[in-house]
């Protein structure tokens, strides 16, 4: 099985649209990869996954599927103030070590932050939000 197929199986989400971030090849003053974000109203193809894995483009899969289930979830942690980051001890290694005995996975993000991932083999049901009065 190709890496693109593995990635597609891992990130099973909404099938009708996805986010795309076309990289500009430069970083902002804060260290974030600059580019153009847009929503694509079409399913993600294996070529899109392959381009993402190769670092050519960023893609964002919407976790919530049409049937109100999810197979994965993510938390995005960004600290742009480097002094605050040092004070808070938010290095990738420290967070990864702290989460080592959990089912969570820590990866780097394009903004020099971290993503914390949770994956499930089985679909997890999400309750519909109830209107507040």
């Amino acid at each position: 099985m190709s890496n693109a197929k593995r990635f597609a199986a891992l990130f099973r989400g909404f099938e009708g649209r996805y986010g795309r971030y076309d990289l500009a090849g430069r970083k902002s003053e804060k260290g974030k990869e600059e580019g153009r974000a847009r929503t694509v109203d079409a399913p993600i193809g294996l070529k899109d996954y392959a381009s993402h894995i190769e670092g050519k483009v960023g893609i964002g899969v919407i976790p919530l599927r049409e049937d109100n289930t999810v197979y994965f979830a993510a938390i995005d942690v960004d600290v742009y103030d480097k002094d605050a980051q040092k004070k808070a001890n938010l290095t990738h290694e420290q967070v990864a070590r702290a989460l080592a005995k959990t089912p969570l996975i820590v990866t780097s993000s394009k903004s020099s932050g971290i993503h914390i991932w949770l994956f499930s083999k089985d679909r997890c049901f999400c309750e519909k939000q109830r209107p507040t009065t």
Side-chain angles (χ1 to χ4, degrees):
M1 180 184 295
S2 72
N3 286 337
K5 283 185 181 180
R6 284 190 199 108
F7 207 76
L10 192 60
F11 289 92
R12 291 176 284 176
F14 187 75
E15 295 178 355
R17 101 179 4 150
Y18 67 99
R20 182 176 171 105
Y21 195 76
D22 294 301
L23 303 171
R26 63 182 179 274
K27 291 188 178 191
S28 71
E29 289 178 14
K30 294 181 178 181
K32 186 172 185 169
E33 289 283 345
E34 292 185 342
R36 182 177 148 248
R38 62 189 170 106
T39 301
V40 178
D41 289 321
I44 304 174
L46 287 179
K47 288 182 181 180
D48 299 306
Y49 283 109
S51 291
H52 180 81
I53 292 166
E54 294 166 7
K56 295 177 181 175
V57 67
I59 58 172
V61 179
I62 301 166
L64 187 62
R65 297 168 57 87
E66 294 86 345
D67 62 356
N68 275 348
T69 62
V70 296
Y71 285 91
F72 73 97
I75 299 170
D76 184 18
V77 180
D78 293 318
V79 179
Y80 292 112
D81 182 336
K82 296 300 180 192
D83 291 333
Q85 186 175 9
K86 287 178 185 175
K87 187 176 181 180
N89 290 324
L90 284 177
T91 67
H92 299 99
E93 288 180 20
Q94 289 166 325
V95 174
R97 269 193 234 115
L99 298 175
K101 293 186 180 186
T102 73
L104 303 172
I105 298 168
V106 178
T107 62
S108 297
S109 70
K110 68 180 175 295
S111 60
S112 300
I114 58 174
H115 290 154
I116 302 171
W117 301 94
L118 175 66
F119 295 94
S120 175
K121 288 181 187 176
D122 301 313
R123 61 186 177 159
C124 301
F125 290 90
C126 301
E127 282 190 43
K128 291 183 180 180
Q129 290 186 343
R130 298 182 182 147
T132 56
T133 55

